[in-house]
Amino acid sequence: MVRLPDASWLRTAITRRLVRHAFGRLPLRVRFEGGETIGLGGPLMEIHDTAAFHRRIGAGGLIGFGESYMAGEWEARDLVGVLTVLAERLADLVPRPLQRLRPLWAPRQPAAQRNTPEGSQDNISRHYDLSNDLFALFLDETLSYSSALFRGFPADRSLLAAAQHRKIDRLLDQAGVGPGTRLLEIGTGWGELALRAAARGATVRTVTLSREQLELAVERIRAAGYEDRVSVELLDYRRVEGVFDAIVSVEMIEAVGAEFWPAYFTTLDRLLVPGGRIALQAITMPHDRMLATRHTFTWIQKYIFPGGFLPSVEAIEEITAARTALRVVESDGFGPHYAETLRLWRERFTERAEEADALGFDAVFRRLWTFYLAYSEAGFRSGYLDVRQMTLTKETPR
């Protein structure tokens, strides 16, 4: 059960007024437990425990909003639809004069979640070491836990594995990976990209901080007969030594933390040969929202990705230009593809709820995970989030 937090009467009363004001201006229907409905029409959100709902938001803002869903205090048949409406208007839900008071009420990220080499190990473990069996419930057979690249919409589940391979192959093409390439992969996942790179004749060194992922990746690499071409190590990216012709990293920069972005890119710069190529796949947010939220502790950070923070394209370009010889030469966004990827994952996870329960993941966890997948999908459907494949090259010294 999600404990009901302490909150002052005054703070809860103010929250009640702000919430009603916000909902009244949105294309939603919000039905309170007594039957009163407000909003301009649209997806229906039903609040079963109004007092607890306001109290949680009063105590924790958007963290409380997510916790209220976890506790079953509100429901929505079209959860993604409700969350998409909110994501589209996230910057304006709180009146602008009150937004200046954000530092006074918004929770700040705990120091324990800083992505030092030791902190990163703990942060990664809390998500990726939950259970390989859990992830296998909703991922396709490639075990790819990042956006696929489809040929058309709506996406079909039977084509998800092919769409994941299309995404991986495009990254390998961007990085120029072929026979004899010395490739570094930062963030192994369950090994699918390393397998496809090895099949091209590359020599792959791949690093991860997840023990669960490492064990299964090693098994898959052994089964495919690529032990001589792929090495998998439990190692922080900052501690990698050597030189590489190409580097690929898929949706790993989100776990680096803004404080350590300069260290991340200077490490890539140090490891890449002059004239080498890097292919990154990164979830991004608008630069102004990144600046406004960079010190805020969010529901995603508390429950899903501790220490995580999304960069903007501008932030990546600024840091690489100022600190490294790396330059972004290509940047392609495909956010709608992530929305469809997440939809397929969410539908599959819902269908296999009983199997998740048998693995020991209770009803509160399943609501948490459903909210996470829907919340993320809504971010991409609204355009608040994007996912990009970015190619960087290292300038050759004159």
Side-chain angles (χ1 to χ4, degrees), residues 108-129:
R108 296 179 70 84
Q109 189 168 356
Q113 287 195 4
R114 288 183 67 235
N115 281 304
T116 61
E118 296 74 21
S120 291
Q121 176 78 66
D122 184 60
N123 288 338
I124 291 297
S125 180
R126 283 178 56 192
H127 185 82
Y128 293 96
D129 288 343

Side-chain angles (χ1 to χ4, degrees), residues 6 17 54 68 80 83-84 113 116 154-155 211 282 291 327 342:
D6 296 328
R17 293 194 64 177
H54 289 139
S68 187
V80 173
L83 295 176
T84 299
Q113 287 195 4
T116 61
R211 288 183 171 84
L291 293 176
R327 297 295 179 265
L342 285 155

Side-chain angles (χ1 to χ4, degrees), residues 323-345:
R323 305 287 190 101
T324 74
L326 305 175
R327 297 295 179 265
V328 177
V329 296
E330 187 176 0
S331 178
D332 297 316
F334 55 109
H337 294 254
Y338 218 150
E340 286 295 282
T341 303
L342 285 155
R343 175 181 63 80
L344 295 175
W345 290 347

Side-chain angles (χ1 to χ4, degrees), residues 41-207:
L44 175 63
M45 175 180 174
E46 297 190 80
I47 301 174
H48 306 306
D49 190 334
T50 304
F53 178 77
H54 289 139
R55 182 169 163 181
R56 288 189 191 276
I57 296 175
L62 290 177
I63 291 178
F65 180 75
E67 289 177 338
S68 187
Y69 182 83
M70 291 162 58
E73 293 157 3
W74 66 272
E75 298 277 359
R77 179 171 295 180
D78 182 5
L79 180 59
V80 173
V82 167
L83 295 176
T84 299
V85 169
L86 296 174
E88 288 170 343
R89 294 156 180 83
L90 197 58
D92 301 315
L93 287 177
V94 176
R96 292 199 176 274
L98 294 179
Q99 290 184 23
R100 300 191 189 98
L101 302 177
R102 176 188 291 270
L104 299 178
W105 60 264
R108 296 179 70 84
Q109 189 168 356
Q113 287 195 4
R114 288 183 67 235
N115 281 304
T116 61
E118 296 74 21
S120 291
Q121 176 78 66
D122 184 60
N123 288 338
I124 291 297
S125 180
R126 283 178 56 192
H127 185 82
Y128 293 96
D129 288 343
L130 282 168
S131 163
N132 286 337
D133 292 334
L134 170 69
F135 289 99
L137 287 181
F138 63 92
L139 299 179
D140 65 273
E141 60 266 32
T142 72
L143 293 178
S144 298
Y145 190 38
S146 53
S147 180
L149 187 60
F150 298 98
R151 290 195 184 279
F153 300 142
D156 186 271
R157 184 183 300 165
S158 65
L159 303 176
L160 181 54
Q164 292 290 5
H165 282 160
R166 187 176 301 113
K167 173 271 303 293
I168 292 170
D169 291 343
R170 189 171 188 275
L171 287 165
L172 295 176
D173 289 345
Q174 287 174 303
V177 175
T181 300
R182 295 170 297 174
L183 172 66
L184 171 66
E185 181 188 20
I186 299 179
T188 306
W190 287 276
E192 191 70 16
L193 187 143
L195 287 169
R196 291 188 78 77
R200 291 185 176 208
T203 300
V204 185
R205 185 179 180 190
T206 179
V207 298

